[in-house]
Amino acid sequence: RNNTVYHVSGEGIIGMHSDYATVDSNTAFDNWALNIDLDQCSYSIVQKNFLYYTSDTAWWRSGTRPGVNIMLSNEGIKDSSGRVYPIGHDRKVINNIMVGGGANFYFWAGFQAGAALKNDLIADNTMVNTQGTGSAGLKIDSGSHSNSRVMNNIVYQASGAVTNVGSTSGITFSHNLWSKAPASGCSSSTDVIGNPLLVDPNHTRAAGSVSPAWYKINTTSPAATKATALTEVNVDYWNTPR
């Protein structure tokens, strides 16, 4: 909680094979591999983190795009006895602000059979303007997903795709604001399509000098009052009651 993590030549914050982890209220930016990763973690929560990449390509993972802001992964690492750790499940990614990643949120199936979103909640996050070739705001690999929800998120892309999703069966998408139409399997009759009218989403980002207030919605935003109540999310990023 409450850490600032930047310019790491790997992951900024990573949990590996750790259950009941909490990653809360951190700022992480320009970490080479990615900013936050839960690799084969279960019953864990990533919330109220402010995550971004600048245009400093020295901290981009490839020459074409930066790392991911938040990733849930199943890398398939074995222990010393050759046993593979269980896949991750029952994770919550809520109330985070993610800006300028190669993807802002990414579920990476990794190399382990059965990897999928299982009992996971991706909700009430703001994802803004990915960077680089092939980037997408919300990216989810194929898998046998089950009982997972993508809800109440704002996904704003001035250019580039809002979604890159391999399979949607087992995932409920609802009450999201997309700045442009998402892939058909990610859409819902409860969605809003349009500019969310964030305060200053195109402000030039300089390392250590970026404000989460730039990514609040204005009072006239079409996102206002359009979310649905979730028992798991009682306040927003700024601890204002939802």
Side-chain angles (χ1 to χ4, degrees), residues 62-161:
S62 72
T64 59
R65 62 179 178 269
V68 174
N69 273 314
I70 295 179
M71 186 163 77
L72 303 181
S73 62
N74 292 273
E75 197 163 355
I77 294 174
K78 298 179 181 180
D79 68 12
S80 59
S81 300
R83 297 171 298 186
V84 178
Y85 290 96
I87 62 170
H89 56 85
D90 290 272
R91 298 155 291 192
K92 297 181 179 69
V93 177
I94 59 177
N95 280 333
N96 301 282
I97 299 173
M98 302 172 246
V99 185
N104 280 320
F105 171 82
Y106 181 23
F107 167 73
W108 179 45
F111 307 113
Q112 187 170 349
L117 292 176
K118 294 183 180 293
N119 304 321
D120 294 314
L121 175 64
I122 316 303
D124 293 276
N125 302 288
T126 299
M127 310 180 198
V128 180
N129 284 342
T130 55
Q131 303 181 85
T133 304
S135 65
L138 176 80
K139 186 175 181 181
I140 299 174
D141 282 353
S142 295
S144 299
H145 307 303
S146 62
N147 194 37
S148 293
R149 295 166 289 164
V150 177
M151 305 175 69
N152 294 351
N153 300 288
I154 293 172
V155 184
Y156 174 73
Q157 291 284 125
S159 63

Side-chain angles (χ1 to χ4, degrees), residues 172-207:
T172 298
F173 291 84
S174 73
H175 296 86
N176 297 295
L177 182 145
W178 313 97
S179 59
K180 61 188 75 174
S184 59
C186 304
S187 63
S188 162
S189 61
T190 60
D191 289 347
V192 175
I193 308 297
N195 190 326
L197 300 181
L198 303 177
V199 170
D200 194 6
N202 298 311
H203 198 292
T204 299
R205 295 185 301 278

Side-chain angles (χ1 to χ4, degrees), residues 154 175 177 192 195-198 216-228 242:
I154 293 172
H175 296 86
L177 182 145
V192 175
N195 190 326
L197 300 181
L198 303 177
K216 281 186 173 184
I217 60 171
N218 285 301
T219 56
T220 56
S221 170
T225 76
K226 296 302 192 297
T228 188
R242 287 196 180 276

